[in-house]
Amino acid sequence: MCGIVGYIGKKEAFPILLKGLKRLEYRGYDSAGIAVLNGNLHVYKKAGKVSELENYTTGKDVAATIGIGHTRWATHGVPNDTNAHPHLSNSGNLALIHNGIIENYDAIKKELIKRGYVFHSDTDTEVLVNLVEEVRKQDNSSLEDAVRTALNEVVGAYAIVVIDRNDPDHLIAARKGSPLVIGVGEEEFFIASDASPIIEYTKNVVYLDDQEYACISRDGSFYIKTLGNVQKSPAIQKLEMSLEMIEKGGFEHFMLKEIYEQPKVIAEALRGRMSASQGWIKLGGLSEYSNRIENAERILITACGTSWHSALIGEYLIEDLARVPVEVEYASEFRYRNPIINEKDVVIAISQSGETADTLAAIELAKERQALIYGICNVIGSSIARMSHAGSYTHAGPEIGVASTKAFTAQITILTLIALQIAKEKGTISTSKLREILYELENMPAKIEQTLKLDSQILEIAKEYKDAANFLYLGRGYNFPVALEGALKLKEISYIHAEGYPAAEMKHGPIALIDEAMPVVFLATNASAYEKIISNIQEVKARKGKVIAVVNEGDTHIRSLADHVIEVPATEEVLSPLVTIVPLQLLSYHIAILRGCNVDQPRNLAKSVTVE
Ligand code: AGP
C-alpha cells in the first residue's frame, strides 16, 4: 500500500530512488514520483508504473545527493499525475511522501483553506504537508518541531519522509501504523518501506517504531525521538536478506519463481523445528508460552485473504489433532463486532507482510482484552511480529508477487507444527501417528517437487479454459480452504470470476450455475470423503459441466469421469493442502499469462494492505 524511499549522502540520489521504487512497486503501482534537491527542488510525477516515471525523467535535471520517492496505491483521489506523490506545500518549500491515510484530513483541509491555503490534488497527503508548513509558520519553529506538532494533530496511519528546499542536509522520517526502515551506511542513509531498496548498500538497519520519527543528517549522524519528544537510542540490526532473494533468478515472473521455491520454503520452515526419526517438534515461540497455549479453552485465528485461508486449514488441524476448539475470524470483521475475548484466549494472527492494517487492528483489540497473541509472519521485524507476545516466522523469504503462494504453504507448515506440538503435549495423538505425519512432513519438499513437474500438463489445461467467464472450485474437509484459495488466485491475477465452495454445498445453490461452459475444479484427494466427492462430480457431469479433478496418483475411477485429471502424490490427509494447492497456483498463473495479464502486479491490488 504505497512504497516510499529516501536517500541522503554522497551518491547520486536519483538512480538509488528509482531502483528503490522498482523494488517497492509491489506495494502499489498507480503512480510514481521523485523529488530531488540540488539548489532547486525538482518534483517529477507520473501516473502509471515506475517505468513511466523513468521515461518521463530522461534528460531532466536530476543531479542531487538528497531526494525522496513514492509509488502509490490510490486511496484519496484517482491515480493521475496531480495526485501522485511527492506533494509540495503551498510555498513550494516542503516536499512530502506518505504511505497511509490521514483520517481527519477533511477537517484540517477546511481549516487550512480558511487560512488561505490552496489545494491542487485530492489527497490527504497534500493536507499533511501544508499542515506542517502552517505549524512551522505559526510557531516560528524548526522543521522537526513542526513535523512533530503536526503529527500529533493528525489521526490515522502514516509513514512519511519530508525534505525542505532550504535545507539540503537533513531528512525527517516518521511512522505510525505503516512500516519504515532506515539503512545506515557510511555517511549516507537510506529510508524505505521495506529493506529491499537498501539491501545492496548496507546491511545495518533501524526499524522505526510506531509514533517515532528520525532526524537524519548528511554528516552521518541521526537521532530518533518519540512524538512525545523523548529521545530513543536506536537499535541497529543486521539484515538477513540477500540480493538474490529479491530478484527473479531466471524466472519470467516473481509469482512463478515463488511457486517453484515452495519445496525449499517448506524445508526451511521445518528446519530445526522437528525430527521425524526422534519424534520431536519444537517451535521456540510456542514452548515459551506452552502452558497457556496448551491449556487454552479456545484458540482464535485471525487474518485476511490468503492468510485467512491458511487460518481455516489451521482450524481443521488444531481441532483434528490437538482437540482444542478453534474459531477463525476475518480480521476486518473481528474488530467491529464487539467479540467476546478475554485473558484465557489465545489469538493466532497470520500475516505474510506482518503489516496488514486489519490484522494489526484485530491484534490491538485482543491485546487490550488481555489475550495472548501468537504471530505467524513472514517479514522479519514487521509490525505484527513485534506486537505479538510470541510467534514463529515462516522464513519463506521475500514474497514479491502480489498473489501469495509460498507464504501460504509456509503458513500451513507452521500451523501443522503448532497443532502437532499441542497434540503431543496434550496426548491427543499417538506416538505412531505423530511419527507418520512428521515423516510425511519431511517428505513434503520432494512431493511438491514432483507436483511441480505437472506444469506443462497444467499449461495445456489452461489453454483450454483461458476464455471461461466463470470457474467453480470445490473441495471437502482440508481441501475446502484450498478450493477458496484456488478461486482467489484465479480472480486476483486473471480477472476471471471464480468461487470456492465446500463440494457438498454445491447442491444448495451453485449447481444452478453449471452448464457446458462452466469449468469445475474438484479437489478429490481426501480418502475420508472420496465417495461423496465422486457423487458431486457425477452431479456436475450430469449437467454438462467440465470437470478438472486434482486426484491422488493412480486414481483410475475419477479419470473415467472427469474431463481432465491432475495426479498429485498421495500424502496424509492432514497435509494434503500443501500438495493440492500447487496445481491450482500453476493453473491460475498460466491462465493469467495466456490472457495477457500482469501476474506480479494485478490491477487494483497491492502486496501489503496497510489501510483499513
Ligand atoms: C493474496 O494473494 C492476497 N494478495 C491477499 O489476500 C493477502 O493474502 C492479504 O492481503 C493478507 O496479507 P498478509 O498475509 O500480508 O496479511
Coordinates of all heavy atoms in Angstrom, one line a residue, residues 304-307 350-354 356 359 402-404 411 488-489 492 606-607 609, ligand 1:
C304 N -6.3 -12.1 7.0 CA -7.1 -11.6 5.8 C -6.6 -12.4 4.6 O -5.5 -12.9 4.5 CB -6.8 -10.2 5.6 SG -7.1 -9.1 6.9
G305 N -7.5 -12.5 3.6 CA -7.1 -13.0 2.3 C -6.6 -14.4 2.3 O -7.1 -15.3 3.0
T306 N -5.5 -14.6 1.7 CA -4.8 -15.9 1.6 C -4.5 -16.4 3.0 O -4.6 -17.6 3.3 CB -3.6 -15.9 0.7 OG1 -4.0 -15.7 -0.6 CG2 -2.7 -17.1 0.8
S307 N -4.0 -15.5 3.8 CA -3.6 -15.9 5.2 C -4.9 -16.4 6.0 O -4.8 -17.2 6.8 CB -3.0 -14.7 6.0 OG -1.8 -14.3 5.3
I350 N -2.2 -14.4 11.6 CA -1.3 -14.8 10.5 C -1.2 -13.7 9.5 O -2.2 -13.1 9.0 CB -1.9 -16.1 9.8 CG1 -2.3 -17.2 10.9 CG2 -1.0 -16.6 8.7 CD1 -2.9 -18.4 10.3
S351 N 0.0 -13.4 9.0 CA 0.2 -12.4 8.0 C 1.5 -12.5 7.3 O 2.6 -12.6 8.0 CB 0.1 -11.0 8.7 OG 0.4 -10.0 7.8
Q352 N 1.5 -12.6 6.0 CA 2.8 -12.7 5.3 C 3.6 -11.4 5.6 O 4.7 -11.5 6.0 CB 2.5 -12.8 3.8 CG 3.7 -13.0 2.9 CD 4.5 -11.8 2.6 OE1 5.8 -11.9 2.8 NE2 4.0 -10.7 2.3
S353 N 3.0 -10.3 5.3 CA 3.7 -9.0 5.4 C 3.9 -8.6 6.8 O 4.9 -7.9 7.1 CB 2.9 -7.9 4.7 OG 1.6 -7.8 5.4
G354 N 3.0 -9.0 7.7 CA 3.1 -8.5 9.1 C 2.7 -7.1 9.2 O 2.9 -6.4 10.2
T356 N -0.5 -5.9 7.6 CA -1.9 -5.7 7.2 C -2.7 -4.9 8.3 O -2.8 -5.4 9.5 CB -2.6 -7.1 6.9 OG1 -1.8 -7.7 5.9 CG2 -4.0 -7.0 6.5
T359 N -5.5 -6.8 10.3 CA -4.9 -7.8 11.2 C -4.3 -7.1 12.4 O -4.5 -7.5 13.6 CB -3.9 -8.7 10.5 OG1 -4.6 -9.1 9.3 CG2 -3.6 -9.9 11.3
V402 N 2.3 -10.2 -6.1 CA 1.2 -9.8 -5.2 C 0.3 -10.9 -4.8 O -0.2 -11.0 -3.7 CB 0.4 -8.7 -6.0 CG1 -1.0 -8.4 -5.3 CG2 1.2 -7.4 -6.0
A403 N 0.2 -11.9 -5.7 CA -0.6 -13.1 -5.3 C 0.2 -14.0 -4.5 O 1.3 -14.5 -4.9 CB -1.0 -13.9 -6.6
S404 N -0.2 -14.3 -3.3 CA 0.6 -15.0 -2.3 C 0.6 -16.5 -2.7 O -0.5 -17.1 -3.0 CB -0.1 -14.8 -0.9 OG 0.7 -15.4 0.0
Q411 N 2.9 -20.9 5.8 CA 2.0 -20.7 7.0 C 1.4 -22.1 7.4 O 1.3 -22.4 8.6 CB 0.9 -19.7 6.6 CG 1.4 -18.3 6.4 CD 0.4 -17.4 5.7 OE1 -0.6 -17.9 5.2 NE2 0.6 -16.1 5.7
L488 N -9.5 -17.7 -5.3 CA -8.9 -16.4 -5.0 C -7.7 -16.1 -6.0 O -7.6 -15.0 -6.6 CB -8.4 -16.2 -3.6 CG -7.8 -14.9 -3.2 CD1 -8.8 -13.7 -3.4 CD2 -7.2 -14.9 -1.8
K489 N -6.8 -17.1 -6.1 CA -5.7 -17.0 -7.0 C -6.1 -16.6 -8.4 O -5.6 -15.7 -9.1 CB -4.8 -18.2 -7.1 CG -4.0 -18.5 -5.9 CD -2.8 -17.6 -5.7 CE -3.1 -16.4 -4.9 NZ -3.2 -16.4 -3.5
E492 N -7.7 -13.0 -8.6 CA -6.7 -11.9 -8.4 C -5.9 -11.7 -9.7 O -5.6 -10.5 -10.0 CB -5.7 -12.4 -7.4 CG -6.1 -12.2 -6.0 CD -4.9 -12.4 -5.0 OE1 -4.4 -13.6 -5.0 OE2 -4.5 -11.5 -4.3
A606 N -2.5 -4.5 -4.1 CA -1.2 -4.2 -3.6 C -0.8 -5.3 -2.6 O -1.6 -6.0 -2.1 CB -1.2 -2.8 -2.8
K607 N 0.5 -5.4 -2.5 CA 1.0 -6.6 -1.7 C 0.6 -6.5 -0.2 O 0.2 -7.5 0.3 CB 2.5 -6.7 -1.9 CG 3.2 -7.9 -1.2 CD 2.7 -9.2 -1.9 CE 3.3 -10.4 -1.2 NZ 2.5 -11.6 -1.7
V609 N -1.6 -4.6 2.6 CA -2.8 -3.7 2.6 C -2.7 -2.9 4.0 O -3.3 -3.4 5.0 CB -4.1 -4.5 2.4 CG1 -5.3 -3.5 2.4 CG2 -4.0 -5.3 1.1
Ligands
AGP1 C1 -3.1 -13.0 -1.5 O1 -2.9 -13.5 -2.8 C2 -3.6 -11.6 -1.5 N1 -2.9 -10.7 -2.3 C3 -4.1 -11.1 -0.2 O2 -5.4 -11.7 0.0 C4 -3.3 -11.2 1.1 O3 -3.2 -12.6 1.5 C5 -3.9 -10.4 2.2 O4 -4.0 -9.1 1.9 C6 -3.3 -10.6 3.6 O5 -1.9 -10.2 3.5 P1 -0.9 -10.6 4.7 O6 -0.8 -12.0 4.7 O7 0.3 -9.9 4.3 O8 -1.5 -10.1 6.0

